[in-house]
Amino acid sequence: MSANETPTGQPPTATYDSAFLKACRREPVPHTPVWFMRQAGRSLPEYHKVREGIPMLESCTRPELVTEITLQPVRRHGVDAAVYYSDIVVPLKAIGIDLDIKPGVGPVIDTPVRTRADLARLRDLTPEDVSYVTEAFGLLTAELGATPLIGFAGAPFTLASYLVEGGPSRNHEHTKALMYGDPQLWADLLDRLADITAAFLKVQIEAGASAVQLFDSWVGALAPADYRRSVMPASAKVFDAVAGYGVPRIHFGVGTGELLGLMGEAGADVVGVDWRVPLDEAARRVGPGKALQGNLDPAVLFSSQEAVEAKTGEVLAAAEGLEGHIFNLGHGVLPTTDPDALTRLVADVHTRTAR
């Protein structure tokens, strides 16, 4: 490979030498890169201003609005990557599933998916279904220049849990009942969702995403044996489907301390870690050959600046010696977080890790 080629043999993009992508590739970085899950949105007053009166799902289909919201945290915080403003249920809505995002509740499905006949409602996703995504990525990459843009999608298990439960669930009883009670229908459901998810990620990558993250928000509800048998094949199918593009693939879930090794095994290049497991222990569980992302507790940002700096130091100390580290929170930015605390955190990490 020459200095003018990427690992896929293509000419390097404007973002190729960014700190974020170097960390994803486990290469030396000028400083530890920082971005935050849910940085585009809820905690920013400028976000609430531009989205006033616009329902969540509608806002995801307006390319110029998506562009503005995605850029807001890059301007304000100086983060090392933008994350595309969207929602994990957007591809489901795009293929005609009757759902809405209700304020204070989350995604709600009018008619849950629980029988084999219901599978017919999950048709293939085409680029035309989400043409607004392609348009928004074009606008964003033109604006961002050398700053990477992260695309994302919901993982098959988490999408299935919304579809089967009909909305958010604390115990996932309907989901687990289907998984244990009709394993073939469950496998077919997740396989169908893997195809939809892969198609959605391909649209984003082909439109200019520098990396993609698969959110498996609810998979921490499973035991490792159930994950390996009933979930991992579908997640692996998604990662395999986009492997040829050569963009880093990030895998994240909440409460997944017992699943970290398996989540890396599913095919991710970077494994996201929530705040419950220190990064050095997470590295032991994941094993070599993967970068890690995380993992400051989002609630720490409500404490004093001194406390935030102390906990940040603990995260960075645990990350010493990792093959690659991207600083992030252990979950998304909480809605009432002080935006200035995020700005200070980015500056602090950059200063402490400058090489």
Side-chain angles (χ1 to χ4, degrees):
M1 184 177 73
S2 75
N4 296 318
E5 288 184 346
T6 68
T8 57
Q10 300 298 315
T13 62
T15 64
Y16 185 77
D17 285 327
S18 63
F20 170 74
L21 288 181
K22 280 178 174 287
C24 289
R25 298 192 302 264
R26 295 174 287 122
E27 296 174 358
V29 290
H31 59 263
T32 298
V34 187
W35 74 280
F36 304 115
M37 291 176 282
R38 294 185 187 146
Q39 68 185 16
R42 306 184 302 176
S43 65
L44 299 180
E46 55 265 42
Y47 162 78
H48 292 287
K49 183 176 181 181
V50 298
R51 234 208 80 194
E52 189 174 1
I54 303 171
M56 174 66 192
L57 282 173
E58 182 184 337
S59 71
C60 296
T61 66
R62 296 189 182 186
E64 291 185 354
L65 181 59
V66 167
T67 300
E68 169 59 23
I69 293 171
T70 302
L71 291 172
Q72 286 174 349
V74 179
R75 297 191 199 112
R76 181 189 271 261
H77 303 315
V79 286
D80 293 278
V83 59
Y84 184 68
Y85 171 73
S86 187
D87 191 271
I88 64 171
V89 298
V90 162
L92 299 180
K93 182 73 170 180
I95 62 171
I97 297 298
D98 50 353
L99 63 84
D100 195 13
I101 297 178
K102 296 192 175 180
V105 178
V108 175
I109 315 291
D110 285 348
T111 308
V113 173
R114 294 179 185 170
T115 69
R116 182 157 295 279
D118 291 330
L119 282 184
R121 291 156 52 199
L122 299 174
R123 66 167 176 82
D124 291 342
L125 178 82
T126 70
E128 291 72 32
D129 292 323
V130 288
S131 57
Y132 47 85
V133 172
T134 300
E135 185 178 344
F137 266 82
L139 295 171
L140 278 163
T141 52
E143 288 281 341
L144 286 165
T147 301
L149 175 58
I150 303 168
F152 73 89
F157 175 83
T158 291
L159 294 180
S161 73
Y162 280 119
L163 288 169
V164 175
E165 299 291 339
S169 172
R170 183 181 298 273
N171 299 312
H172 308 282
E173 56 265 39
H174 296 293
T175 305
K176 291 183 177 182
L178 178 60
M179 183 177 72
Y180 297 134
D182 193 338
Q184 188 56 57
L185 175 57
W186 173 259
D188 292 345
L189 171 60
L190 259 66
D191 191 66
R192 184 75 57 85
L193 289 170
D195 289 337
I196 292 166
T197 299
F200 190 51
L201 290 179
K202 286 178 180 179
V203 167
Q204 296 177 61
I205 296 169
E206 291 176 4
S210 297
V212 290
Q213 175 159 305
L214 195 64
F215 279 91
D216 217 345
S217 308
W218 306 128
V219 79
L222 296 181
D226 290 328
Y227 176 86
R228 181 183 286 281
R229 177 177 55 249
S230 303
V231 174
M232 189 170 158
S235 295
K237 186 177 185 181
V238 175
F239 286 126
D240 288 346
V242 299
Y245 290 99
V247 303
R249 299 157 298 169
I250 310 169
H251 203 2
F252 173 76
V254 185
T256 54
E258 298 300 319
L259 305 178
L260 288 172
L262 292 170
M263 290 176 72
E265 228 179 284
D269 304 295
V270 182
V271 177
V273 184
D274 76 12
W275 67 92
R276 297 170 178 86
V277 179
L279 288 173
D280 49 357
E281 171 59 18
R284 188 189 68 78
R285 297 183 187 187
V286 171
K290 310 285 182 183
L292 296 186
Q293 178 176 278
N295 67 337
L296 185 71
D297 185 341
V300 168
L301 290 165
F302 290 80
S303 191
S304 65
Q305 187 171 342
E306 292 74 21
V308 174
E309 290 175 357
K311 296 300 286 185
T312 299
E314 290 178 15
V315 172
L316 292 174
E320 280 289 330
L322 294 185
E323 295 184 65
H325 177 222
I326 299 151
F327 192 99
N328 207 312
L329 303 180
H331 197 195
V333 174
L334 297 171
T336 54
T337 302
D338 178 3
D340 290 342
L342 291 168
T343 305
R344 289 192 296 267
L345 177 56
V346 175
D348 185 32
V349 173
H350 284 172
T351 299
R352 290 201 209 196
T353 62
R355 295 167 176 84

